Amino acid sequence: MKGNFVFQTRKSNRSLWVIECIDPNCSWRLRASKIVPESTKYVIRKYVGVHSCSLLNRNANHRQATYVVIGEQVAPQYVGVEKGPGPKGVQNFARTELGAQISYYKAWRGRKHAHTLIRGSPEQSFHVLPSYFHMLEKLNPGTVTRIEVDGESRFKYLFLAFGVAIRGFRYMRKVVGIDGTFLKGQYRGVLLVATAQDGNGQCYPLAWGIVDSENEDAWTWFLTQLKEIIGDTDELALISDRAPSIKKAISTVFEKAHHGAYFAGYMIEISNRYLRVAEYLENEVGFEKWSRCHYPGLRYNIMTTNMVESLNSMLVNARDFPYVALLDVIQEKMSK
């Protein structure tokens, strides 16, 4: 392929594979057969490696350079990394390593096939998820996992909290930021995150969840699982954005904890420019939701959900992974 010579299959069955140059007058050919009839491995029995055909038969648009072949060849470049080469990088790889000119679309399909070889398909991910969670609980004592399915036994939600994070929360500030970020894989979904903060102001990832969307039912389910591992006391503060679904879910699940909404700005400036907005913040939202001095609990200096956004940005390259591969990245990050 690298020499731009095109070959064709002369004979192919369960035990024999014979290919030859597309030029019938060329002497290049390869013959391979199974080692033994029961084996799945082939051995080359005969190989004539010199082309005697015209150089005019060379073609950089090699028909054997399918997206499957490209994906298999470029797959090692995605091992142990989150991003790897993009479609243009795959095009360059095919040109320099295989001597083939491929389209952007074929490069994109080859890259997708390489991802599947290394990280598995989304369907495989759903299939192994229960076993994956079982091994996490076995190898990480105290780890809490949950899988929710619908009436037809199809995946709906998942929840994961590592045992070490649960045990360490007792020494953290009792302020938990929650937020979600969309996933970009085949089945989309939303990654929900709950994180605390230690005494040095560092992020302390506490729990993870994957749901269909940021709606009230999904948040209620996630927060119910979160409540089981952190409890519900009047010392606990939950910080989020102003999404109505989060507000309703928190009021439903947490009866004692306080809720603070993230709002950046100054009340006086808002009053001068947007009187109706100021009235809304004062009368409908309430100062206690976004003003630290009016907040009934203890939220320290945490006025935003930036600690959650930091975790979301940490996973920006893994958001199109199958769910199990994404959880692998999360576990790797948690182990550092």
Side-chain angles (χ1 to χ4, degrees):
M1 184 182 296
K2 193 168 184 179
N4 295 332
F5 289 103
V6 181
F7 62 86
Q8 61 185 355
T9 302
R10 181 181 177 185
K11 189 173 183 179
S12 178
N13 55 42
R14 294 183 178 180
S15 60
L16 181 65
W17 187 50
V18 180
I19 59 175
E20 59 184 17
C21 180
I22 197 171
D23 187 345
N25 299 318
C26 182
S27 60
W28 188 95
R29 67 190 64 250
L30 182 146
R31 178 188 178 93
S33 61
K34 284 187 175 181
I35 300 176
V36 293
E38 299 79 14
S39 176
T40 58
K41 296 182 179 181
Y42 286 72
V43 61
I44 297 176
R45 304 294 184 180
K46 183 178 180 181
Y47 176 56
V48 180
V50 179
H51 281 271
S52 58
C53 58
S54 172
L55 294 179
L56 297 177
N57 290 331
R58 291 192 179 192
N59 188 354
N61 298 316
H62 209 292
R63 68 180 186 179
Q64 274 81 31
T66 64
Y67 78 90
V68 175
V69 173
I70 299 298
E72 291 173 349
Q73 295 299 313
V74 79
Q77 299 194 28
Y78 296 95
V79 177
V81 298
E82 294 181 19
K83 192 173 182 179
K88 289 188 176 180
V90 175
Q91 282 182 301
N92 292 333
F93 173 86
R95 183 175 61 255
T96 57
E97 299 298 325
L98 304 178
Q101 298 286 349
I102 62 174
S103 65
Y104 184 91
Y105 177 64
K106 182 180 287 188
W108 178 84
R109 294 187 68 188
R111 176 176 178 267
K112 184 178 179 181
H113 183 65
H115 283 181
T116 301
L117 293 176
I118 300 302
R119 304 183 180 113
S121 67
E123 293 77 14
Q124 293 171 339
S125 182
F126 288 123
H127 180 72
V128 303
L129 186 58
S131 301
Y132 180 83
F133 272 179
H134 171 74
M135 293 306 298
L136 280 182
E137 292 179 351
K138 184 177 181 180
L139 299 176
N140 299 271
T143 295
V144 175
T145 64
R146 299 283 188 274
I147 298 177
E148 182 81 3
V149 297
D150 61 15
E152 299 180 5
S153 297
R154 295 178 300 186
F155 173 84
K156 191 175 181 181
Y157 309 138
L158 70 78
F159 177 88
L160 169 63
F162 292 99
V164 63
I166 297 173
R167 292 189 294 272
F169 179 68
R170 70 184 68 178
Y171 306 108
M172 300 297 120
R173 295 174 174 178
K174 297 303 179 283
V175 182
V176 177
I178 56 175
D179 198 7
T181 183
F182 66 92
L183 301 176
K184 300 182 290 184
Q186 181 176 342
Y187 294 98
R188 306 299 179 182
V190 174
L191 176 68
L192 304 183
V193 183
T195 181
Q197 194 178 79
D198 62 18
N200 291 326
Q202 305 297 314
C203 293
Y204 187 82
L206 185 58
W208 310 81
I210 295 179
V211 299
D212 52 353
S213 64
E214 287 195 74
N215 54 59
E216 184 179 348
D217 291 340
W219 273 114
T220 300
W221 184 87
F222 177 78
L223 293 177
T224 300
Q225 314 311 314
L226 182 65
K227 179 181 176 181
E228 291 183 5
I229 64 174
I230 66 175
D232 180 19
T233 67
D234 55 8
E235 296 180 352
L236 181 64
L238 298 171
I239 309 299
S240 72
D241 58 24
R242 301 183 302 280
S245 58
I246 300 180
K247 180 180 179 181
K248 292 180 181 178
I250 290 177
S251 63
T252 300
V253 177
F254 289 91
E255 299 178 356
K256 299 178 181 179
H258 303 287
H259 178 213
Y262 160 50
F263 184 84
Y266 300 94
M267 194 63 184
I268 297 178
E269 293 185 10
I270 294 175
S271 300
N272 293 335
R273 297 188 180 186
Y274 310 103
L275 182 59
R276 293 181 61 184
V277 174
E279 293 174 351
Y280 169 78
L281 292 173
E282 179 178 355
N283 301 322
E284 297 188 37
V285 176
F287 289 125
E288 68 278 2
K289 293 293 185 182
W290 55 273
S291 175
R292 187 167 59 179
C293 63
H294 292 276
Y295 190 71
L298 183 61
R299 62 191 291 175
Y300 297 89
N301 62 335
I302 304 174
M303 297 300 295
T304 71
T305 58
N306 287 348
M307 58 183 178
V308 188
E309 297 296 341
S310 298
L311 295 180
N312 292 339
S313 62
M314 178 184 69
L315 300 171
V316 64
N317 293 322
R319 287 190 293 169
D320 61 347
F321 288 9
Y323 290 168
V324 168
L326 172 61
L327 295 176
D328 273 338
V329 174
I330 290 174
Q331 184 180 12
E332 180 184 354
K333 299 292 186 183
M334 292 280 290
S335 301
K336 291 183 177 179

